[in-house]
Amino acid sequence: MEKPKTVRLTTTDKIFYGALDTYLVLLFFIIAIPMWSTITLSFKPQAFLGSNFELMFNPIWKWSVGAYRALIGNNGFILAFRNSLLILVLGVFWSLFLTIPMAYCMSVKTLPGRKILNVFVLIPYLFNIGMIPTYLVITKTLHLTDTLWAVVMPGALSTYNCLIMRNFFDGIPESLKESARIDGAAEWRVLVSIIMPLSKPIILTIGLYYGVNFWNDYFHPMLYINKTNLQPLPILLRNILIGSGMNEVVEVNAFGNAPIESIKAASVFMSAIPMVLAYPFIQKYFTKGTMLGGVKG
């Protein structure tokens, strides 16, 4: 059996890979240290008097869950978390419901006026109408103030995501679509039975894009939602971080008098949990969907 040939690295290659490894290690510490600092601060005991640097090396058996108990036991935090989940689920479903058919129509080469349709899709991507016209449409025309649809509608269809999905659809062999059409399948049947099962990577990737956007959206809820019981987590998180009306936002004195700094850190950490949990399941599709969707222009 022939032994595999070993590749000898030149001095230039060794310097390059050494610099690359050093850069990645530094990048890891740049990301990991603030994250670890936030995590340990969220578990800060009430009686701890040391600095934040000393807290980072505090043994795990001395951690306190008082901040998390204060948040979970607060009705305002639970309500805001529920509103964010509703916006996330509703927004991703509605956005994919609009993006997938639009991208498919733009990818059908026999569609009459296909080039004109692509131009019309690009116009709002290149020329934004601005905040004031959008605000007037949402509030005066559609009357969506103080509804979750006011947060979902403005970002429901992204031209950028639509173009990436269209490029992915263009990469699917045309023979598969033609064979289905010859068998009498309508276009919606081709989309549902052939295109979508083959497009799982790009659908999950674009769904992740939309999900992150809706979960972190702070601007639209600030503009269109005035009712406290409809405010999502980013608005509550902002109120907690700036510390205004802390006793009204979170019951600081509940569950063992958790430090305010711990409550702030715990709220930041808990707000990131859904995206952190979702990403590992989509990661294997993420690179494939993005690369295949971005090959063609």
Side-chain angles (χ1 to χ4, degrees):
M1 183 177 179
E2 186 178 355
K3 294 182 179 180
K5 296 181 179 180
T6 58
V7 179
R8 293 184 178 181
L9 297 178
T10 63
T11 304
T12 304
D13 292 335
K14 292 179 180 178
I15 295 174
F16 172 77
Y17 287 119
L20 181 61
D21 291 339
T22 303
Y23 169 76
L24 292 176
V25 170
L26 291 175
L27 185 62
F28 169 77
F29 281 106
I30 290 174
I31 296 173
I33 291 176
M35 183 180 299
W36 181 249
S37 177
T38 302
I39 293 174
T40 54
L41 182 59
S42 67
F43 290 99
K44 178 181 179 181
Q46 178 67 21
F48 188 82
L49 301 177
S51 63
N52 290 339
F53 181 78
E54 295 173 345
L55 183 63
M56 294 174 60
F57 300 96
N58 196 35
I60 191 172
W61 57 84
K62 293 184 179 181
W63 287 7
S64 172
V65 295
Y68 292 96
R69 293 174 60 191
L71 288 174
I72 295 175
N74 181 266
N75 292 330
F77 184 85
I78 298 300
L79 187 61
F81 202 93
R82 187 205 67 178
N83 291 336
S84 289
L85 286 178
L86 288 175
I87 292 173
L88 174 66
V89 175
L90 183 63
V92 171
F93 174 80
W94 182 244
S95 296
L96 290 178
F97 181 79
L98 296 176
T99 303
I100 293 174
M102 175 64 74
Y104 177 70
C105 291
M106 295 171 63
S107 69
V108 177
K109 296 179 175 58
T110 57
L111 179 69
R114 178 174 178 261
K115 293 183 178 180
I116 299 177
L117 175 62
N118 281 267
V119 172
F120 274 109
V121 172
L122 283 173
I123 288 176
Y125 180 66
L126 299 175
F127 305 98
N128 197 317
I129 63 173
M131 181 182 67
I132 295 178
T134 303
Y135 179 82
L136 293 176
V137 170
I138 296 296
T139 58
K140 303 299 182 182
T141 304
L142 300 178
H143 303 286
L144 295 177
T145 306
D146 287 330
T147 64
L148 296 183
W149 283 105
V151 182
V152 172
M153 292 294 289
L157 182 60
S158 169
T159 304
Y160 176 77
N161 293 337
C162 191
L163 292 175
I164 293 178
M165 189 170 289
R166 182 206 65 180
N167 293 339
F168 188 96
F169 290 165
D170 283 338
I172 297 177
E174 195 67 27
S175 57
L176 295 176
K177 309 172 190 177
E178 290 298 333
S179 61
R181 296 184 183 117
I182 292 174
D183 291 337
E187 291 298 331
W188 68 268
R189 186 71 177 179
V190 175
L191 174 61
V192 174
S193 301
I194 297 179
I195 302 300
M196 291 182 63
L198 296 175
S199 304
K200 188 177 180 180
I202 194 63
I203 291 176
L204 292 177
T205 300
I206 298 301
L208 180 63
Y209 286 165
Y210 280 125
V212 172
N213 180 62
F214 284 116
W215 182 259
N216 296 326
D217 190 7
Y218 165 78
F219 185 69
H220 292 110
M222 182 184 66
L223 284 180
Y224 304 122
I225 295 181
N226 300 315
K227 294 182 178 179
T228 305
N229 62 335
L230 291 177
Q231 290 180 347
L233 194 58
I235 301 295
L236 180 64
L237 183 61
R238 176 251 184 193
N239 294 336
I240 293 176
L241 293 179
I242 65 176
S244 63
M246 178 62 71
N247 290 325
E248 298 178 2
V249 177
V250 177
E251 297 175 5
V252 180
N253 295 325
F255 304 107
N257 295 324
I260 295 178
E261 295 81 3
S262 298
I263 293 178
K264 292 181 179 181
S267 62
V268 172
F269 184 69
M270 290 188 66
S271 65
I273 288 178
M275 293 297 103
V276 172
L277 293 179
Y279 184 75
F281 297 99
I282 305 177
Q283 182 181 10
K284 62 180 179 180
Y285 303 104
F286 186 78
T287 304
K288 182 179 178 181
T290 304
M291 293 297 293
L292 293 180
V295 171
K296 297 184 178 181

